[in-house]
Each structure stands twice: as C-alpha cells, then as structure tokens.
C-alpha cells in the first residue's frame, strides 16, 4: 500500500488555446505548495506541474472524504462560470499518467477516454461546478511484496448541492 499526492498541470479550454493556472482559481489547495521538476518542453508549452490537496491511496479503498471548504466571492464565481462555459478541463497526473474520464460513444458500443476532467457543466441554462470527484486508480501488482505499477488513473466528477458531499457512512451524497 502506498500514499502520495497527485499533481496538477493546468486547465485547458476547448474554445481557447490558453492554459490557465490551477492555483489562480478558488480550489482546495495543499497546505504546502510544491512545484515539480519540469523539462524544457513543458516550460515552453506553459505547463506547470504542482501538487494538489488530494491524498492518493493505492491498493486500498478510501471512503468519501471532504478535502476542504471554500467560500467564493462574486468575482471568483464569475471566473468559474466563465471557465465552465468555455469547457475547460483540469489536467491531473499521477505517476506521470494523465487522469482520464470515461464515456461511451453515441451508439454506446465503444468506451472512450478524454484527458482531464471538466470544471463543471451547463445544463438547461444552469451552471454546475463539479465539487465531488471519484478517483479510480488501476494498478498491477509486481512479484515483489508491496510493489506495484500504476497503469491507469480515471475520474468521475459531479456536482453536489451543499457543502458536505459525503454522508456519515463515507459514501457520496446524491448528485444534482
């Protein structure tokens, strides 16, 4: 079993070529900020890999856990609405593997993956911020005791009403 943290690269919009720094948005931030080493290509691309407030546990199931609580002012709310309307994705990595969200083709016959997770969604003229994430870490156990290799990193995101999106038994509350 191993515990660590995931990294964030940046946010990218479908309707713009400009990445946006994750730390410039009102998200849960780690108590100690770490900037990971980057290569020249990442610097030229505008990528800045930083740590997150999420704790990652491999080879064990972790119950729904509240990471933090953030109060937003009107300017921050409007920035998040703008990013949701521009279809921004958050690009996370774990052990150099990008997080992906799984979805099906329109006919339902093919499973597809898209890099990153959405900031939120617009549905029936309402804007929803994704504030609940279920991470699925796929791994292969090696021949040596306790050794493993991460082979996949998936996320399911949704929006929960209210601040506390976990029930008392550690399961997510119903999404909206």
């Amino acid at each position: 079993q191993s515990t660590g943290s995931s990294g964030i690269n940046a946010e990218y919009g479908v309707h713009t070529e400009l990445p946006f720094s994750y730390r410039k948005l009102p998200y849960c931030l780690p108590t100690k900020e770490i900037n990971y080493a980057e290569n020249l290509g990442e610097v030229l691309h505008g990528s800045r890999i930083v740590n997150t407030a999420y704790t990652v546990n491999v080879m064990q199931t972790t119950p729904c856990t509240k990471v933090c609580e953030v109060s937003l002012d009107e300017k921050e709310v409007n920035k998040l609405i703008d990013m949701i309307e521009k279809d921004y994705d958050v690009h996370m990595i774990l052990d150099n593997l990008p997080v992906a969200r799984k979805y099906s083709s329109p006919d339902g016959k093919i499973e597809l993956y898209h890099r990153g997770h959405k900031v939120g969604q617009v549905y029936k003229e309402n804007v929803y911020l994704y504030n609940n994430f279920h991470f699925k870490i796929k791994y292969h156990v090696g021949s040596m005791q306790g050794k493993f290799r991460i082979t996949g990193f998936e996320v399911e995101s949704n929006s929960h009403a209210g601040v506390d999106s976990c029930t008392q038994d550690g399961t997510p509350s119903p999404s909206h």
Side-chain angles (χ1 to χ4, degrees), residues 60-103:
Q60 68 183 44
T61 301
T62 304
C64 182
T65 306
K66 182 177 175 179
V67 176
C68 77
E69 190 173 317
V70 178
S71 296
L72 305 174
D73 62 30
E74 186 177 349
K75 184 179 178 184
E76 292 169 324
V77 169
N78 289 333
K79 182 63 184 171
L80 287 168
I81 289 171
D82 182 57
M83 297 195 80
I84 292 167
E85 288 175 341
K86 289 181 178 170
D87 214 16
Y88 268 81
D89 289 323
V90 178
H91 289 193
M92 299 179 76
I93 59 169
L94 179 64
D95 199 26
N96 283 330
L97 288 174
V99 72
R101 66 181 182 278
K102 186 168 37 173
Y103 63 100

Side-chain angles (χ1 to χ4, degrees), residues 6 54 92 99 117 133-137 153-156:
S6 59
Y54 302 109
M92 299 179 76
V99 72
H117 70 78
F133 307 97
H134 178 248
F135 296 106
K136 184 178 196 179
I137 300 167
F153 183 32
E154 296 177 14
V155 64
E156 292 176 19

Side-chain angles (χ1 to χ4, degrees), residues 5-119:
S5 67
S6 59
I8 292 283
N9 180 322
E11 300 201 20
Y12 296 89
V14 172
H15 305 290
T16 179
E17 294 294 319
L18 299 173
F20 200 89
S21 173
Y22 181 83
R23 288 202 176 137
K24 293 191 181 205
L25 293 170
Y27 287 128
C28 297
L29 298 175
T31 53
K32 181 181 178 188
E33 294 182 5
I34 301 170
N35 292 306
Y36 295 106
E38 302 166 32
N39 62 45
L40 181 58
E42 290 170 332
V43 172
L44 293 173
H45 182 261
S47 298
R48 299 285 188 266
I49 299 172
V50 296
N51 61 322
T52 69
Y54 302 109
T55 300
V56 176
N57 299 301
V58 179
M59 297 174 56
Q60 68 183 44
T61 301
T62 304
C64 182
T65 306
K66 182 177 175 179
V67 176
C68 77
E69 190 173 317
V70 178
S71 296
L72 305 174
D73 62 30
E74 186 177 349
K75 184 179 178 184
E76 292 169 324
V77 169
N78 289 333
K79 182 63 184 171
L80 287 168
I81 289 171
D82 182 57
M83 297 195 80
I84 292 167
E85 288 175 341
K86 289 181 178 170
D87 214 16
Y88 268 81
D89 289 323
V90 178
H91 289 193
M92 299 179 76
I93 59 169
L94 179 64
D95 199 26
N96 283 330
L97 288 174
V99 72
R101 66 181 182 278
K102 186 168 37 173
Y103 63 100
S104 296
S105 61
D107 62 8
K109 294 181 180 179
I110 303 172
E111 278 190 350
L112 303 166
Y113 288 89
H114 183 84
R115 183 177 179 201
H117 70 78
K118 296 290 179 200
V119 175

